[in-house]
Amino acid sequence: MKFDIALLPGDGVGPEVAAEGVKVLEAVGRRFGHEFTFDEGDIGGIAIDRHGVALPEETLKKCEKSDAVLLGAVGGPKWDDPRAKMRPEDGLLGLRKGLRLFANLRPVKVLPMLLDSTTLKPDTIRGVDLIVVRELTGGLYFGKPKKQWQTARGRKAVDTLAYSEKEIERILKVGFELARNRRKKLASVDKANILESSRLWRQIAIELSAQYPDVELQHMLVDACAMRLIQRPADFDVIVTENMFGDILTDEASMLVGSMGMLPSASLAGVPKEGERTFGLYEPIHGSAPRRAGQNIVNPIAMIMSVAMMLRYSLGLVKEAGAVEKAVSDVLDQGYRTYDIMEQGKKQVGTREMGDLIATRVG
Ligand code: IPM
Ligand code: MG
């Protein structure tokens, strides 16, 4: 089969890891007889430099025409001035909103050979296999009013946490559907003791649960969830939560596997079904890591696992996704490590070498 991929390398280490993602996809193409074409576009800081905007119209168009979007990362110190009118992150938010990617999936799975490469005790993280479903186009990120202004008594600022019933229902559905096909446990995370939006969220979760009698629904306050995630992370199956809570909890959850360099993500425009094709954007969660850029040291596995998610959810290629995941775990089993997951007695390799090792085992 033939697939068109919009490729947005972005800033910092983005281009380096994107190149490894492409390398692995090409290996998949050779082994399974598919053809992938890549249409490259600018986003983030590089787009501000080249076009004066973080998300050029042309980039959005390329994404709309594609079968799926593969993104490196956006941002860097060069564009970090808090007074700047335009920020690289605006490009990513614009893309999420523009492509209606409301469901962000962030799986966190602890691989047995990496049990000792985290700061947590192996007994705590053994068996962790959870997925966070983060709402991605609502809440504090997008709510209006959102502004800063001058008053007689000093400056003021406001952000708005707003959600509609429809927005809450469609993201909760993603959580329920995923849970149904996994261990059937859904933790709906809110702050219903304080926030009105969370009280609506909780009511809708209860109403929807009638349609999913096979899924065990649990409500959890976000502060308690933050604690549980490091106390008993293996208890979790699927976590579903609003945009900002999800942003914070997924950085925390990434530490369960030792490195952000290991974690992929999918941002989808619909309810995912394995083997069906839901449009989506795929990116590692580690961000642009500007201090690591250009040194061939960063871990490309988060990007390569994002490619596997793309194969599974947007291209309907489940077998191919499995082949990529297997190649990653084989390379780790054989003792190869990038600097972020390095341990004594293992073989340290760079970004390109890790990509080569995985690509060779795929194809
Ligand atoms: C993430 C990132 C983004 C977010 C930034 C880069 C806009 O932290 O994807 O988690 O806050 O959503
Ligand atoms: Mg984040």
Side-chain angles (χ1 to χ4, degrees):
M1 285 171 77
K2 204 174 160 309
F3 301 96
D4 296 320
I5 309 300
L7 182 66
L8 316 181
D11 307 319
V13 301
E16 287 170 69
V17 294
E20 303 314 308
V22 168
K23 192 186 276 177
V24 169
L25 261 181
E26 283 174 338
V28 168
R30 284 193 297 277
R31 157 123 172 244
F32 294 93
H34 303 299
E35 192 189 326
F36 299 100
T37 55
F38 299 94
D39 196 1
E40 216 171 303
D42 291 330
I43 189 163
I46 192 168
I48 295 178
D49 289 353
R50 286 187 182 158
H51 314 269
V53 286
L55 176 62
E57 192 59 33
E58 192 193 321
T59 299
L60 187 59
K61 287 227 175 74
K62 279 183 186 176
C63 295
E64 279 165 351
K65 282 196 317 210
S66 72
D67 292 304
V69 183
L70 201 56
L71 185 139
V74 299
K78 183 176 173 193
W79 308 280
D80 251 355
D81 185 342
R83 288 158 309 181
K85 285 221 171 51
M86 175 88 53
R87 302 172 58 91
E89 290 78 6
D90 296 334
L92 189 54
L93 297 191
L95 205 54
R96 289 172 179 171
K97 197 76 172 172
L99 298 172
R100 298 183 191 82
L101 305 170
F102 69 90
N104 184 219
L105 273 44
R106 295 186 168 182
V108 179
K109 191 168 176 173
V110 171
L111 300 174
M113 64 296 226
L114 295 183
L115 267 181
D116 291 316
S117 66
T118 84
T119 53
L120 290 132
K121 295 197 183 103
D123 277 346
T124 308
I125 56 169
R126 186 171 288 115
V128 166
D129 180 6
L130 61 88
I131 183 162
V132 180
V133 179
R134 168 187 173 195
E135 201 289 327
L136 205 58
T137 52
L140 280 170
Y141 277 63
F142 295 94
K144 297 272 167 54
K146 181 186 205 65
K147 61 177 181 176
Q148 246 190 67
W149 71 100
Q150 187 72 48
T151 75
R153 273 182 254 103
R155 285 169 292 175
K156 277 190 107 172
V158 65
D159 290 286
T160 303
L161 208 182
Y163 270 109
S164 71
E165 177 169 0
K166 276 211 176 79
E167 285 174 312
I168 295 173
E169 196 180 283
R170 68 180 179 181
I171 194 69
L172 283 168
K173 265 196 179 143
V174 174
F176 275 111
E177 290 288 335
L178 285 176
R180 175 167 269 182
N181 292 306
R182 293 171 48 104
R183 302 196 308 277
K184 305 189 177 9
K185 274 173 37 182
L186 180 64
S188 170
V189 173
D190 61 36
K191 186 73 183 172
N193 51 348
I194 304 292
L195 300 176
E196 207 49 54
S197 54
S198 282
R199 293 196 262 269
L200 178 60
W201 181 285
R202 199 174 272 215
Q203 282 161 37
I204 296 173
I206 292 168
E207 287 157 22
L208 259 183
S209 68
Q211 292 172 37
Y212 297 90
D214 50 326
V215 175
E216 181 198 325
L217 171 68
Q218 182 190 13
H219 307 283
M220 202 181 270
L221 296 174
V222 63
D223 46 353
C225 179
M227 180 190 70
R228 277 266 181 250
L229 267 176
I230 48 170
Q231 188 198 30
R232 295 171 64 94
D235 285 356
F236 288 101
D237 180 14
V238 181
I239 295 174
V240 62
T241 193
E242 70 91 36
N243 204 346
M244 179 72 126
F245 297 162
D247 179 46
I248 298 169
L249 292 177
T250 51
D251 265 29
E252 185 191 7
S254 74
M255 286 300 101
L256 300 171
V257 296
S259 165
M260 287 184 98
M262 294 296 295
L263 288 198
S265 83
S267 301
L268 304 175
V271 180
K273 298 226 169 61
E274 240 189 54
E276 282 181 26
R277 297 179 60 176
T278 307
F279 182 74
L281 174 150
Y282 299 82
E283 61 178 318
I285 84 153
H286 51 60
S288 62
R291 281 177 303 140
R292 313 270 185 227
Q295 300 168 53
N296 189 43
I297 60 167
V298 291
N299 189 346
I301 292 180
M303 173 54 100
I304 291 168
M305 294 297 269
S306 300
V307 163
M309 291 187 88
M310 176 172 95
L311 292 166
R312 172 168 285 125
Y313 293 122
S314 283
L315 308 183
L317 303 176
V318 177
K319 180 168 79 252
E320 290 80 345
V324 171
E325 287 157 357
K326 167 127 196 337
V328 168
S329 90
D330 285 351
V331 166
L332 291 170
D333 264 337
Q334 286 151 15
Y336 296 101
R337 300 284 187 275
T338 41
Y339 84 95
D340 54 318
I341 50 173
M342 184 58 190
E343 283 172 82
Q344 212 168 16
K346 305 296 180 196
K347 292 166 268 196
Q348 190 166 337
V349 296
T351 310
R352 287 192 292 274
E353 292 69 35
M354 184 57 97
D356 287 339
L357 287 161
I358 295 168
T360 309
R361 281 158 184 79
V362 167

